[in-house]
Amino acid sequence: MKIIKFTNKGIYCIPGKFYLDPWLPVDYAVISHGHADHMRWGMKHYLCHTHTKNIMKHRIGEDVSVETLDYNEPKTINGVKVSFHPAGHIIGSAQIRLEYKGKVVVFTGDYKVKHDNLTIPFESVKCHEFITESTFGLPIYKWLPEEILQEQLHNWILQNQANNRTSVLFGYSLGKSQRIMKLVEGLDDIYVHNAIYHTNNAIEASGIILPKTQRLDGNFNKADIQNKIIIMPPALLGSKMLKRVPNAATAICSGWMQIRGNRRWRGVDAGFAVSDHADWEGLLQAVKASEAEKVYVTHGSQATFAKYLNEIGIEAAEVVTEYGENELETETKTEATL
């Protein structure tokens, strides 16, 4: 008995007659989280986690037809029991659990197993079939503990201030920027670009408390931000706005910064391996904890990760989807419209 089918529109739940994070317009879309490769415009009706609703309205449009569920709150659709479970990826991100006639399938969307002191921590869900991402599915990717990452960022900012430089950190507006805000909270005043400011407002409209920030628009006073902390989307690298920042010291925050060669990407001064995805050990931990009989591996290093799972006795197969974006470039088109 098959519950899911991989189609040219997305992952289809056969008995439920709905799609999971479809990339082409469908009648009913169950959405894992608010990033542009998983939550797209054009669906007749959406179902998402409660904290994703305002993000969806901000990014797709106020008039979308959307229904919400909290974590672990079940809803039955055409005989399929659907529930959301924390994915730890970004605020509102969810694994989607499907249960039909005793068989359980879990679609992770994107996820991170290490707690970041901001999102609700990842919750392992046992199932028969497990659909996992593999963005950083190579052994080279191993994230530092949050407190060490925070110490690195603090030391860099304090060194910049000692040298009369303004710290500019780049991370996409949904997820990464809020993570950076949490990591540098309390160190000094934090200024955020308009796209991040509006995204923060959408998040806070759901009752979530974020670190205090100030809006940075194109008419900022240079004296106000001298030696302070600024967070911008990657789309602003090389922009006129960045060039106006006094004595800017720039840093990319991305999991790709784990690779030494990326740390000078596009001429930035530093790189920090801040990722909203699971590293190699995190992926293995999630797969093993699911106790799944079959694992489907989607975007990222799926060939390597699927091959390794098969080698250690876990049946796995690669699946072609339209998920996955390079974190150095991600969300650029979305941010340009915000």
Side-chain angles (χ1 to χ4, degrees):
M1 177 185 61
K2 292 186 65 175
I3 295 181
I4 57 164
K5 179 170 67 173
F6 298 98
T7 76
N8 62 353
K9 290 185 177 181
I11 302 170
Y12 182 60
C13 176
I14 300 167
K17 299 179 181 178
F18 56 81
Y19 287 81
L20 310 178
D21 291 0
W23 45 85
L24 291 176
V26 300
D27 288 344
Y28 200 121
V30 181
I31 301 299
S32 67
H33 67 285
H35 280 151
D37 58 327
H38 288 260
M39 183 185 73
R40 307 196 188 211
W41 178 87
M43 315 302 160
K44 286 187 179 179
H45 185 73
Y46 297 84
L47 175 68
C48 65
H49 184 267
T50 305
H51 292 159
T52 299
K53 179 180 179 179
N54 287 319
I55 294 169
M56 181 181 292
K57 286 180 170 289
H58 168 58
R59 295 193 142 203
I60 295 179
E62 285 291 333
D63 59 347
V64 293
S65 173
V66 56
E67 184 181 358
T68 66
L69 294 173
D70 290 330
Y71 292 127
N72 295 287
E73 178 187 355
K75 174 182 175 64
T76 301
I77 307 172
N78 297 322
V80 179
K81 183 180 176 183
V82 180
S83 55
F84 293 133
H85 303 265
H89 175 56
I90 64 171
I91 290 169
S93 63
Q95 302 172 83
I96 304 170
R97 182 186 185 273
L98 311 176
E99 182 178 349
Y100 183 70
K101 294 185 177 180
K103 186 173 182 180
V104 178
V105 176
V106 170
F107 170 58
T108 64
D110 291 332
Y111 65 96
K112 176 175 83 275
V113 299
K114 290 185 177 179
H115 186 32
D116 59 13
N117 301 313
L118 180 66
T119 56
I120 294 175
F122 178 88
E123 174 188 295
S124 179
V125 183
K126 289 180 171 51
C127 57
H128 298 95
E129 295 183 350
F130 191 64
I131 308 169
T132 179
E133 61 139 313
S134 59
T135 303
F136 294 104
L138 295 173
I140 190 174
Y141 294 110
K142 181 176 175 59
W143 310 143
L144 293 171
E146 200 74 0
E147 59 271 16
I148 295 178
L149 186 58
Q150 184 178 56
E151 182 181 6
Q152 288 184 347
L153 278 163
H154 282 210
N155 288 343
W156 183 73
I157 292 168
L158 292 171
Q159 183 64 44
N160 290 337
Q161 291 178 333
N163 293 326
N164 198 36
R165 301 191 72 183
T166 304
S167 301
V168 184
L169 297 153
F170 290 94
Y172 51 79
S173 61
L174 174 60
K176 190 61 61 64
S177 290
Q178 292 75 38
R179 176 97 181 274
I180 297 169
M181 286 158 46
K182 192 66 179 177
L183 284 164
V184 303
E185 183 180 20
L187 194 60
D188 207 323
D189 294 338
I190 304 171
Y191 290 81
V192 298
H193 179 263
N194 270 338
I196 301 167
Y197 174 82
H198 291 304
T199 300
N200 288 348
N201 286 345
I203 292 170
E204 290 177 325
S206 296
I208 295 167
I209 299 174
L210 295 174
K212 183 180 178 182
T213 62
Q214 298 183 53
R215 180 179 180 177
L216 183 73
D217 59 29
N219 299 316
F220 63 82
N221 186 319
K222 292 183 180 182
D224 291 341
I225 63 169
Q226 177 71 52
N227 296 358
K228 302 300 182 182
I229 303 166
I230 298 174
I231 306 174
M232 291 183 177
L236 272 291
L237 269 165
S239 66
K240 291 181 180 178
M241 188 175 190
L242 175 60
K243 290 174 182 176
R244 287 195 62 229
V245 175
N247 303 318
T250 55
I252 287 284
C253 293
S254 166
W256 304 110
M257 295 300 105
Q258 180 81 26
I259 302 174
R260 190 179 302 274
N262 280 335
R263 293 179 187 170
R264 290 289 179 177
W265 187 75
R266 288 179 62 173
V268 295
D269 298 303
F272 297 96
V274 182
S275 179
D276 296 330
H277 297 266
D279 60 8
W280 173 262
E281 290 298 329
L283 291 169
L284 289 174
Q285 177 185 328
V287 168
K288 291 176 181 178
S290 76
E291 299 180 4
E293 300 164 0
K294 178 70 177 283
V295 177
Y296 296 99
V297 185
T298 65
H299 56 296
S301 302
Q302 60 263 41
T304 300
F305 192 56
K307 181 174 183 290
Y308 181 79
L309 290 178
N310 282 307
E311 287 174 351
I312 63 173
I314 299 172
E315 185 182 353
E318 297 177 56
V319 177
V320 176
T321 67
E322 293 193 12
Y323 309 134
E325 298 164 323
N326 188 319
E327 286 190 355
L328 300 179
E329 304 287 354
T330 190
E331 301 290 284
T332 299
K333 290 182 181 179
T334 303
E335 287 161 346
T337 66
L338 299 178

